[in-house]
Amino acid sequence: MLINYLKSAWRTLWKDRYYALINVFGLAVSTAVFLLLVHFVRFEYSYENFIKKADDLYRVTLDNYNGSEYVDTDCETFPPLGPFLKREMPEVLDFARLQMLEDNNEIQYKHRAFRIEHIYAADPSTFSLFEVPFVKGDADSFHRPYQLVLSETEAKRIFGSEDPIGKTVKQENTLYTVTGVFQDSPANTHLKLDVLVSFSSLNALGWSIDDNWGGNNNYLYIQLPPKIDVNAFNAKLHALTKSKLNERVRNVFNAEPIKSIHLHSHKFFEPEVNGDVKAVNFLAVIALLILLVGSVNYVNLTTARASDRVKEIGMRKLLGSSKGLLIRQLLLETLIINVAAIGFAMLLIVTVLPFYRQLIGQDNSVDLLGTGFFWLSIASLLLFNCVISGLYPAFQLAATKPIKVVGRVFTTDKEGSFFRKALIVGQFVAAMVVLSATLIVFQQLKFLKNQDIGLNPSELLVIRGPKTGADSLRSQKGLAFKNSLLALPEVEKVALSDAVPTALYDVSTSVGITRYGATDKNRYNYNLYGIDEDFVPTNDIKLSAGKNFEKGSLNENKLIINETAAKLLGFESPAAAVGGLIDLWGAKRTVIGVIRDFHQHSLKEAVPPMIHWYSTRSDFFTVKLQTDHVASSLLAIEKEWKAVYSEYALNYHFMDELLDQQYQSDRRFGEVVGVFSVLVLLITCLGVLGLTTYTIHKRTKEIGIRKVLGASIPDIVSLLSFEFVRLIALALVVAIPITWYAMNNWLQNYALHIQIPWWVFGLVGLFAVGITILTLSYQTVKAAWMNPVESLKKE
C-alpha cells in the first residue's frame, strides 16, 4: 500500500514539477533562514549558561545620585564593598572582585612585550564562583600577592612550547609567578578572561583598596541562596548601605543576575559591548515570520490549484477510497516536498555558513551543525511544516464530493479566496516591517555619523604607547617619539594623553568631586584623565572659556574641564568656572579652561562630566596626519617607532574607525535585518509568482474573450496586476503602525536619535509594488500577448 502511495505521490509531483519546485525552494529558504536565526537568538540567550550555579550569581552595580536626582549607573563599585556585604548580609554566601588593569595591560617575558586585552586583578573566589577549569596548574596560591594565571591561548602566545608553570613574567616593574593555565573563556560570557593576577597584589603595590570608598573600579560578583527574591534582597541592601555607609557613600547599590547582563545591561564601563534584547527578540520574530511565509506559500498554491485535482479526488471516492486514505495520500505528498525542502535547506546552510558567521560576527568556535539542538530543530521543523502546510490543503481536498466528478469547473468559494488573500497580505506585512526596520536602522546610523561629536576625528591616528617601565623613563621615551614624529613632513600635530576619545577602559572615574570649600558633596560620576598641551588642538576641541595648558609652564594643580562638569559643579557659565577652585581627591586645583562638550563614549550615552590634568605620560599618541598617502606615512611612523620602542609592536587605529566600532553591533543588526528582509520579500514574491502563473492558466479563456472584445495589452496587464497591488496597499496600512511602534522603542536606546521619517514607508511600499510587478511581468505580458485563437480554440 505504501509503495502505491509513493508512486502516486511521485507521479503527481512530477506532473506539476513547476509548482513543486516553487514549493520546495520556498520551504527550503524559509527553513534555512529560520534555523540560522534561531541559532543566533539561542546563542544570545545562552550567556553564562555554562556556569552550573549561574542562577545564584549576581553582579552588584552602582547608581549615582546627586541628592534625589538620578545621574547614571556604573557597573563598577568600590573595593571594600564585597567584604562589607559578606560581613553584614548572611544572604551573601561568597563574593569575588575583579579590577580591570587597563593601565597595566602588558606582560613581558624574555625581553618581549605582549599586550593583553582582558587582564584583571581577581579574588581567589573568582575561580570557584565562575567554575574556571584549569588545564595545567591551579590557583591555590592566589591568596598571596604576585600570582598569575592565564588562558591557553595566551600561554601559547607568550611561552610557545615551553611549560609556563613556575615561570616569571614582568608587569610594569613587578614580577609575577605563573601558577596555572585555564581554558579559554567561551564566546557566550560577558566576562572574557585572558590573564588574572592575585587581587592581593594591588595592596602589596600600595594601591588604596581596604578603605577606598571613592574609587569605583571593581566588578563585584556575589553568590546568593537559590531562588532568592532579588527585589527583597535589593531593598535590604538599600537599607543597609543607607544606615551604615551613609557617611561614606550616597550611592545606591543593586544586584542584577549575571544571566541578564548580556542582553539587558548597558551601564557605564561594561566589560564588553553587550547585546540588545529588543534587537534579538525582533530577529526571533523575523525567524518565525519567515518560516510562516514559506508555509503560507505552500498552502496558498496548493489550495489555489485544488480545482485541478477535483476529478482525481472525486474519482478515487467513487472507486471506494475513504476520506482518511485520501488525507494520508495528500499528506504523503506534503511529506515528500518537505523532506526535499529540508535536504535543500541543509545544503543552503552549509553553503552560506561562512557568510552567516561574518554577518553576525561569530567565530568558528560556536558550533551549529554538531549540536543536538540543531538536529532536534530539523525534526521539529519537518513535523511543523508537514502539519502547518499539509493539514489544511489535505482536509480541504479530501472533503471534495464525488458529484464534482461530473462538473466542468471546481468553484472556489469566497471564503477560500478571502483566506488566500489574507495570507498574501500577511506575507507582505512581514516583508514591509523588516524592510522598513532596515531603512530606519541605517538612517539612525547615518544620523549618528553626521553628528557633531565636539571634535574632528578625521586623519587622526591613535597609537597605544607601552605600559611598562618607570614613569620618568616612559615620559622621556614618549617625548622622544613625539618629537621624532613631528619631524616627519606627513605629521602636522602629535598629542600625548592617558586616554583618548572613544577609549572606555583607560578612563578613570570618580565621585565626590566638588568645588573647593563646599560642604555638600555631590555624587556625580566624573570621567578623568591626563592630557598634554597638544591634546586640545590636535583633536580640534574648542575652548568655551579660559585657556589651554602651556608647554613648559607650571601646570601643576591646574585643570581643564568640560561644559557639563562646569554646570554640575555649580558654575553659572563656562567663563565663571575659569579661576574656580575644585577639591579633587583632597587637593585644591584651579580651573584654567573650559572646553566644549565632546562625546568621550558612544552617542547612545549623554556627554559625561570630564576633568583633565596636565600629563606627559605616553599611554596614547594622537597623530594628526596631513597627507593622502596613508600607507607611506604609516611606514615612516613605524620606522620611528622601532627606533624608540624596538621591543614593542606598533599598535594603532584611526580615530574614525574607533568611533565606528561603537556602533558595530547596531550596524550588524541593520545588516542582518536587511539581508533577511530581502529573503522574506523573495519568498513572498515566489509565492505570488506561483499564484499568478496558475491564475493566468485558469483565466486563459477569459483573457482571450477580453481581447476579442477589444481589451488592449495594458488593460490585460493591469487586470492581472491590480489585485496584488491592492493587497500590497492594504499590507502597508497594517505594517506602518507595527513598524512605528517597534522601531520607536528601539530608538530609545540612543540619547540622540532620529524621528522616524514618513518617506520610509512610502519608499518601502513603492519598492514592494515594483518588485511584485517585476515578478508578475513576464507571465502577465505573455498572457496578454497570447493569440485569442489559441486560447479559445479548445472551446
Side-chain angles (χ1 to χ4, degrees):
M1 179 69 73
L2 180 61
I3 298 298
N4 289 333
Y5 279 156
L6 287 172
K7 287 181 178 179
S8 177
W10 176 253
R11 282 197 301 268
T12 301
L13 295 175
W14 182 253
K15 183 178 69 174
D16 295 327
R17 51 188 175 274
Y18 173 78
Y19 300 105
L21 283 174
I22 288 179
N23 282 330
V24 168
F25 184 76
L27 287 171
V29 172
S30 62
T31 299
V33 170
F34 177 82
L35 287 170
L36 290 174
L37 281 178
V38 164
H39 167 260
F40 173 75
V41 171
R42 182 170 176 263
F43 173 79
E44 288 292 296
Y45 272 102
S46 71
Y47 270 60
E48 322 306 341
N49 281 349
F50 64 94
I51 303 174
K52 293 179 182 178
K53 50 188 173 187
D55 291 331
D56 304 331
L57 297 183
Y58 299 80
R59 183 178 69 180
V60 179
T61 62
L62 178 150
D63 291 345
N64 291 303
Y65 283 84
N66 186 44
S68 60
E69 177 192 1
Y70 169 77
V71 180
D72 56 39
T73 300
D74 195 332
C75 57
E76 296 176 315
T77 60
F78 308 107
L81 183 62
F84 172 79
L85 295 182
K86 178 72 181 295
R87 184 172 61 250
E88 298 289 339
M89 300 186 75
E91 295 91 343
V92 178
L93 305 179
D94 205 351
F95 72 91
R97 295 166 295 178
L98 291 97
Q99 179 157 329
M100 183 178 288
L101 303 177
E102 66 273 7
D103 287 331
N104 312 84
N105 63 350
E106 285 183 347
I107 298 293
Q108 282 186 304
Y109 180 67
K110 290 185 176 179
H111 307 293
R112 293 181 63 198
F114 301 88
R115 193 179 300 276
I116 310 299
E117 185 174 359
H118 304 111
I119 178 169
Y120 297 90
D123 279 322
S125 52
T126 301
F127 305 99
S128 58
L129 286 187
F130 290 95
E131 301 167 11
V132 179
F134 280 85
V135 296
K136 188 176 294 186
D138 53 53
D140 293 345
S141 60
F142 235 61
H143 60 282
R144 299 201 302 264
Y146 311 129
Q147 308 297 298
L148 181 148
V149 295
L150 70 172
S151 67
E152 285 183 278
T153 296
E154 293 301 327
K156 186 175 181 180
R157 183 165 75 100
I158 296 172
F159 297 100
S161 58
E162 297 181 48
D163 184 358
I165 305 300
K167 294 288 193 304
T168 300
V169 297
K170 181 188 284 188
Q171 184 194 44
E172 290 224 329
N173 299 312
T174 306
L175 295 177
Y176 289 85
T177 302
V178 178
T179 66
V181 177
F182 55 84
Q183 289 181 8
D184 290 346
S185 299
N188 57 338
T189 179
H190 78 285
L191 190 65
K192 309 291 192 302
L193 305 176
D194 291 330
V195 171
L196 298 176
V197 301
S198 52
F199 199 84
S200 56
S201 305
L202 302 183
N203 267 326
L205 290 169
W207 292 33
S208 176
I209 296 295
D210 295 334
D211 198 40
N212 181 5
W213 291 97
N216 51 311
N217 296 295
N218 284 180
Y219 298 114
L220 174 61
Y221 298 88
I222 58 176
Q223 181 183 358
L224 300 180
K227 298 181 180 180
I228 191 173
D229 183 346
V230 69
N231 292 324
F233 174 81
N234 280 331
K236 184 176 180 180
L237 176 59
H238 298 166
L240 174 69
T241 54
K242 186 175 181 179
S243 63
K244 294 201 173 185
L245 296 179
N246 194 43
E247 294 300 320
R248 295 177 175 178
V249 297
R250 299 180 186 177
N251 311 89
V252 175
F253 301 105
N254 287 291
E256 61 178 351
I258 65 163
K259 293 178 72 172
S260 72
I261 290 174
H262 176 65
L263 289 180
H264 297 273
S265 182
H266 302 282
K267 303 172 177 64
F268 278 104
F269 298 98
E270 293 284 356
E272 66 176 13
V273 178
N274 287 326
D276 183 354
V277 69
K278 297 175 185 176
V280 172
N281 289 342
F282 189 75
L283 291 176
V285 172
I286 291 177
L288 184 59
L289 287 176
I290 288 178
L291 184 65
L292 292 175
V293 164
S295 297
V296 163
N297 274 354
Y298 182 87
V299 172
N300 261 347
L301 201 52
T302 303
T303 54
R305 294 182 55 253
S307 61
D308 287 351
R309 303 197 64 182
V310 168
K311 288 185 172 58
E312 174 198 343
I313 301 300
M315 184 60 71
R316 285 178 180 272
K317 280 197 169 184
L318 286 174
L319 294 176
S321 182
S322 67
K323 184 176 180 179
L325 290 174
L326 288 172
I327 289 174
R328 283 198 288 272
Q329 170 70 44
L330 295 168
L331 286 176
L332 183 61
E333 294 175 13
T334 301
L335 178 63
I336 292 174
I337 286 179
N338 277 282
V339 168
I342 289 289
F344 188 32
M346 293 182 65
L347 180 62
L348 284 175
I349 289 173
V350 172
T351 304
V352 305
L353 196 55
F355 169 74
Y356 162 76
R357 291 194 188 281
Q358 182 181 1
L359 181 67
I360 66 172
Q362 199 176 81
D363 58 33
N364 294 326
S365 64
V366 182
D367 195 10
L368 171 62
L369 302 177
T371 62
F373 179 82
F374 176 80
W375 296 105
L376 178 63
S377 299
I378 289 286
S380 302
L381 278 177
L382 180 61
L383 178 62
F384 175 84
N385 281 337
C386 286
V387 170
I388 295 297
S389 62
L391 280 182
Y392 175 72
F395 276 92
Q396 187 202 45
L397 284 171
T400 301
K401 298 179 181 178
I403 192 63
K404 294 289 185 180
V405 168
V406 299
R408 297 182 60 193
V409 179
F410 176 82
T411 304
T412 305
D413 60 7
K414 292 183 179 180
E415 182 181 349
S417 176
F418 176 80
F419 179 69
R420 282 192 295 277
K421 289 178 181 178
L423 292 179
I424 292 173
V425 169
Q427 287 179 306
F428 276 111
V429 167
M432 288 178 174
V433 166
V434 290
L435 278 172
S436 302
T438 303
L439 288 177
I440 293 169
V441 169
F442 284 107
Q443 282 298 307
Q444 172 65 12
L445 293 177
K446 181 181 178 182
F447 169 78
L448 294 177
K449 190 173 183 180
N450 293 333
Q451 284 298 298
D452 179 10
I453 61 172
L455 53 85
N456 182 10
S458 63
E459 298 181 332
L460 286 184
L461 183 73
V462 177
I463 301 173
R464 276 187 172 270
K467 296 282 190 176
T468 56
D471 285 345
S472 58
L473 181 60
R474 286 174 61 188
S475 180
Q476 182 180 347
K477 280 193 169 186
L479 289 172
F481 180 60
K482 175 181 177 178
N483 291 330
S484 68
L485 291 181
L486 288 171
L488 297 175
E490 302 94 337
V491 174
E492 182 179 345
K493 298 172 184 174
V494 181
L496 301 177
S497 58
D498 301 345
V500 292
T502 72
L504 179 60
Y505 306 112
D506 298 276
V507 179
S508 297
T509 59
S510 185
V511 296
I513 298 171
T514 63
R515 293 175 66 170
Y516 191 77
T519 56
D520 185 22
K521 302 290 186 181
N522 72 61
R523 305 306 299 177
Y524 294 114
N525 200 19
Y526 290 84
N527 285 204
L528 314 95
Y529 58 89
I531 61 176
D532 74 353
E533 70 279 358
D534 292 311
F535 181 86
V536 170
T538 300
N539 287 279
D540 198 17
I541 300 170
K542 306 301 181 185
L543 275 166
S544 295
K547 62 180 182 178
N548 186 22
F549 293 122
E550 296 179 8
K551 182 178 181 180
S553 65
L554 188 61
N555 293 300
E556 187 178 0
N557 294 328
K558 294 180 180 179
L559 299 175
I560 291 176
I561 63 177
N562 70 348
E563 293 170 330
T564 297
K567 181 180 178 181
L568 296 182
L569 287 166
F571 294 107
E572 294 181 357
S573 67
V578 177
L581 300 179
I582 293 177
D583 184 346
L584 179 63
W585 302 324
K588 182 168 65 174
R589 309 291 180 96
T590 304
V591 176
I592 65 168
V594 178
I595 55 176
R596 278 185 56 194
D597 285 341
F598 66 87
H599 283 269
Q600 175 67 34
H601 311 305
S602 164
L603 283 170
K604 286 184 176 181
E605 302 163 4
V607 174
M610 303 286 301
I611 296 178
H612 302 288
W613 55 82
Y614 186 78
S615 171
T616 56
R617 283 180 57 182
S618 52
D619 290 352
F620 288 91
F621 301 87
T622 303
V623 184
K624 178 72 172 179
L625 299 175
Q626 53 177 359
T627 176
D628 294 330
H629 305 291
V630 175
S632 60
S633 300
L634 289 176
L635 288 175
I637 290 172
E638 187 171 12
K639 182 180 178 181
E640 298 300 330
W641 174 271
K642 289 180 178 178
V644 180
Y645 301 111
S646 58
E647 66 272 36
Y648 300 98
L650 179 64
N651 185 348
Y652 67 88
H653 292 88
F654 285 94
M655 180 76 76
D656 49 6
E657 292 176 353
L658 294 173
L659 287 168
D660 193 54
Q661 286 176 6
Q662 296 181 338
Y663 311 107
Q664 184 177 0
S665 60
D666 300 303
R667 188 173 59 253
R668 183 174 294 137
F669 170 61
E671 290 171 352
V672 170
V673 173
V675 167
F676 292 117
S677 66
V678 171
L679 291 174
V680 172
L681 191 60
L682 170 66
I683 298 170
T684 301
C685 289
L686 198 65
V688 169
L689 175 63
L691 280 175
T692 304
T693 304
Y694 180 73
T695 300
I696 289 172
H697 170 70
K698 298 302 294 180
R699 299 178 69 175
T700 300
K701 293 180 177 62
E702 176 195 341
I703 293 170
I705 293 172
R706 287 181 180 274
K707 290 195 71 175
V708 168
L709 295 177
S712 65
I713 291 177
D715 291 335
I716 300 298
V717 172
S718 299
L719 173 72
L720 297 173
S721 305
F722 179 72
E723 184 65 27
F724 288 105
V725 173
R726 191 170 62 177
L727 294 178
I728 291 173
L730 177 60
L732 183 61
V733 171
V734 177
I736 287 175
I738 296 174
T739 308
W740 188 276
Y741 174 79
M743 297 312 296
N744 195 54
N745 196 20
W746 176 76
L747 287 170
Q748 301 311 309
N749 292 332
Y750 295 86
L752 297 173
H753 60 80
I754 62 170
Q755 296 297 318
I756 298 175
W758 282 101
W759 61 261
V760 165
F761 303 108
L763 183 62
V764 167
L766 290 174
F767 181 72
V769 169
I771 289 294
T772 303
I773 291 177
L774 187 64
T775 304
L776 304 178
S777 58
Y778 174 73
Q779 294 293 345
T780 54
V781 172
K782 179 182 175 183
W785 274 99
M786 185 180 295
N787 190 335
V789 175
E790 294 295 324
S791 58
L792 296 173
K793 67 181 181 180
K794 293 184 180 180
E795 289 296 314

